[in-house]
Amino acid sequence: MKLASEWKEYKILDMAEGQKLERWGDVILARPDPQIIWKDKSYPKKWKEINATYHRSKTGGGAWQFNKKIPKQWQIHYKNLTFNIKPKGFKHTGLFPEQAVNWDWMINKIKSEKREIKVLNLFAYTGGATVACLSAGASVCHVDSSKGMTTWAKENVISSGLEDKKVRFIVDDVVKFVNREIRRGNKYDAIVMDPPSYGRGAKGEVWQFEENIYDLVELCTKVLSDAPLFFLINSYTTGISSTVLKNILNDRISSSKIYDLIDEPNHYSFKIGFTAYNYFYVVFQYNLDIIGCYIEVGNNICIPLITDKNCYSDTVIEDYILKIKDELELRIPDKYLKAKDWL
């Protein structure tokens, strides 16, 4: 594992009690991170310098609490790159500093070539990889389904003084765009993609990482040049998916699907429906960090399997699914379970 250790204007100051304390330029933010399960603070005094803290709500979502006045947006620099930081809903700032390792790697690869490199950046977000590749002398095609994120990427390109470089910004569904590039015969020397676990295209197309990533990678090989330089895939997963359910429940689950997906800056939710034990139709629901699970029995009647409200960020998801399994088996006759070798 390589660490992004060359930042001058970003630093993780401390981590404790589910929060990560970060310095973004002159602004100190505290943001939730479910992996931080320890309570002891290494530097207690630093927590008194916080400008803003993102708090999750027990009813879902969350909001920033501002202890000191901060600008709506400001800039931080990584070497010769400039990024615009904007604290948004659902804790985001528009930049993932750990990606600096990849930026350096791509820049070195591009600069080592004695030819012009064409880069295709898919699920390109606010353009960290786009800015990095442009700075190295590559031409970039930046593709993202969000108009707002694409506008933000353009701002980062301009702030980095790279607006005169060869860059195309495309607001579109990634799969549809790649298919069009195949038909046009366009080729790229390098491909970068940062696909979400779940998402929607510009016209509502549904994306699911486990179901779609293999086909997308295979599709992208058809737009690679005869002398490809690299193919880089990033993945940030939510930890809960139909694949996780299947792995834990094995043959007890069938016919799973994802639906009612909402992927907006301040609202992220989805449902996973599946047939369990060939006996019940079950729905797992995620809505603004609150998770729940219930049995659908028809006529809009639902039976909750777990009545307590649970925050995803505070839950060990494997244990949660095993609890669902136990609750389901309590509602199914033992004779049926034994006949299926499930008991």
Side-chain angles (χ1 to χ4, degrees):
M1 177 185 292
K2 294 184 178 180
L3 299 178
S5 58
E6 297 187 47
W7 277 99
K8 304 298 183 185
E9 298 182 16
Y10 170 84
K11 186 177 182 179
I12 297 175
L13 302 175
D14 201 359
M15 296 179 285
E17 298 182 319
Q19 292 278 351
K20 179 164 57 176
L21 189 67
E22 305 163 290
R23 178 175 61 81
W24 299 80
D26 296 326
V27 179
I28 296 177
L29 303 177
R31 300 190 296 160
D33 189 321
Q35 302 299 317
I36 302 170
I37 59 175
W38 56 93
K39 294 184 178 181
D40 293 337
K41 297 174 179 176
S42 299
Y43 306 99
K45 291 183 179 179
K46 292 184 182 296
W47 294 82
K48 297 178 181 180
E49 302 171 3
I50 294 174
N51 292 90
T53 302
Y54 187 89
H55 295 287
R56 293 193 185 278
S57 169
K58 293 182 179 179
T59 58
W64 287 96
Q65 175 189 334
F66 296 96
N67 300 339
K68 303 175 185 177
K69 187 176 181 180
I70 64 173
K72 290 184 178 179
Q73 71 176 69
W74 65 97
Q75 294 181 339
I76 66 171
H77 305 84
Y78 181 75
K79 299 181 179 178
N80 63 326
L81 311 179
T82 302
F83 300 101
N84 294 280
I85 305 303
K86 308 174 189 179
K88 294 293 185 180
F90 215 64
K91 81 174 186 178
H92 295 302
T93 61
L95 189 68
F96 295 95
E98 68 274 13
Q99 288 298 316
V101 170
N102 288 333
W103 302 338
D104 287 338
W105 180 80
M106 290 185 291
I107 288 170
N108 289 334
K109 295 285 284 185
I110 293 167
K111 285 186 174 181
S112 68
E113 293 293 306
K114 304 299 181 183
R115 58 190 170 113
E116 181 181 343
I117 299 299
K118 291 178 61 180
V119 177
L120 177 60
N121 188 10
L122 303 174
F123 305 100
Y125 194 50
T126 58
T130 295
V131 171
C133 292
L134 287 173
S135 74
S139 62
V140 180
C141 181
H142 174 114
V143 185
D144 197 279
S145 64
S146 169
K147 185 176 181 180
M149 294 300 105
T150 303
T151 299
W152 198 336
K154 291 178 181 178
E155 294 171 2
N156 286 334
V157 168
I158 293 170
S159 295
S160 294
L162 300 168
E163 61 269 28
D164 60 338
K165 302 298 182 180
K166 295 181 181 179
V167 57
R168 282 198 302 158
F169 292 99
I170 307 294
V171 179
D172 200 356
D173 174 72
V174 161
V175 175
K176 288 185 176 180
F177 177 79
V178 173
N179 273 311
R180 284 202 304 275
E181 292 293 85
I182 293 171
R183 293 194 296 269
R184 293 165 179 155
N186 288 336
K187 300 288 185 178
Y188 297 88
D189 304 299
I191 297 176
V192 187
M193 63 170 69
D194 194 354
S197 295
Y198 306 100
R200 285 191 181 274
K203 296 182 180 179
E205 302 88 347
V206 175
W207 162 271
Q208 182 187 352
F209 187 92
E210 291 86 353
E211 298 294 330
N212 300 120
I213 187 62
Y214 180 88
D215 291 338
L216 178 59
V217 171
E218 186 175 40
L219 193 68
C220 286
T221 62
K222 297 178 182 179
V223 295
L224 279 174
S225 69
D226 293 333
L229 184 61
F230 59 80
F231 194 138
L232 177 63
I233 304 174
N234 294 305
S235 174
Y236 296 86
T237 61
T238 61
I240 178 63
S241 67
S242 57
T243 301
V244 173
L245 291 166
K246 287 178 181 177
N247 287 341
I248 295 175
L249 298 176
N250 299 314
D251 61 342
R252 295 169 176 82
I253 181 175
S254 61
S255 305
S256 63
K257 68 174 183 178
I258 295 175
Y259 62 101
D260 287 358
L261 175 65
I262 298 174
D263 186 8
E264 299 173 353
N266 295 308
H267 189 187
Y268 186 68
S269 66
F270 61 87
K271 294 178 182 177
I272 301 175
F274 57 94
T275 301
Y277 298 85
N278 293 320
Y279 203 91
F280 291 125
Y281 190 76
V282 179
V283 176
F284 173 91
Q285 179 173 295
Y286 174 99
N287 185 29
L288 295 172
D289 201 47
I290 301 299
I291 56 176
C293 195
Y294 55 85
I295 298 169
E296 281 191 354
V297 294
N299 296 322
N300 295 319
I301 299 174
C302 302
I303 301 173
L305 286 170
I306 299 174
T307 56
D308 296 336
K309 278 189 175 181
N310 291 269
C311 289
Y312 168 76
S313 56
D314 298 328
T315 301
V316 177
I317 206 65
E318 289 82 1
D319 293 344
Y320 185 83
I321 294 173
L322 288 172
K323 188 174 180 181
I324 291 171
K325 173 179 174 290
D326 292 341
E327 291 295 327
L328 285 168
E329 291 184 357
L330 285 174
R331 293 166 168 81
I332 300 173
D334 288 351
K335 186 176 180 180
Y336 178 88
L337 294 172
K338 288 178 181 178
K340 299 286 188 178
D341 289 328
W342 288 329
L343 190 65

